[in-house]
Amino acid sequence: MMKSVLNYRLPNVNAALGLAQMESLPKILNGKRLIAKQYQQWGKENGTTFIKELEHTKSNYWLNTVITKSKAERDLLLEETNNGGIMTRPIWIPMHNLLMYSNCQKTELKNTEWLQERVVNVPSSVRSFDM
């Protein structure tokens, strides 16, 4: 029987890159929170619900999502934004709907299916081209 050997070393170059990114983390997170706040404010003014952090929690907002009222509204939002050059996408496909898991045991997943028909992922960062 062969024994597996795992290599958990962190080369100096990778460590330096990680450290440099950690120094930028507060600025990155503040930018993501600002984007999320702007989405939420726009949503409030336009009758659209964005998913936001719960009380007593702090989100990193790496992903911003909007909940539409129906599948038809979701599809219209996707069509209009993507045709307008804004890259949006529907929420990912739930695992129980993937072909490779089609024969696996599952329970009723009403909430998952409800969300799948309504949630759209929207851009969560703005790149600065000022160099």
Side-chain angles (χ1 to χ4, degrees), residues 45-124:
E45 294 167 2
N46 292 280
T48 303
T49 304
F50 283 86
I51 295 177
K52 60 183 179 178
E53 63 194 2
L54 300 173
E55 188 177 358
H56 306 298
T57 66
K58 189 164 185 174
S59 176
N60 61 15
Y61 287 112
W62 72 273
L63 180 66
N64 285 288
T65 55
V66 60
I67 303 175
T68 61
K69 293 175 179 65
S70 66
K71 185 177 184 307
E73 186 177 307
R74 179 203 74 176
D75 293 345
L76 180 61
L77 174 64
L78 289 167
E79 182 181 343
E80 288 182 356
T81 53
N82 284 293
N83 287 343
I86 300 169
M87 292 179 58
T88 58
R89 63 178 190 183
I91 195 170
W92 45 82
I93 299 170
M95 291 180 70
H96 74 282
N97 288 343
L98 297 174
L99 183 60
M100 60 198 242
Y101 297 117
S102 62
N103 294 320
C104 293
Q105 181 179 357
K106 62 184 175 215
T107 62
E108 184 181 42
L109 298 165
K110 287 190 306 188
N111 292 336
T112 300
E113 290 164 0
W114 187 92
L115 288 166
Q116 181 188 12
E117 291 180 352
R118 290 167 177 79
V119 175
V120 174
N121 299 327
V122 296
S124 296

Side-chain angles (χ1 to χ4, degrees), residues 10-33:
L10 181 64
N12 288 343
V13 172
N14 295 47
L17 289 171
L19 182 59
Q21 292 216 327
M22 290 301 290
E23 291 171 356
S24 301
L25 188 59
K27 182 179 177 183
I28 293 167
L29 292 177
N30 284 337
K32 295 215 176 269
R33 292 187 73 73

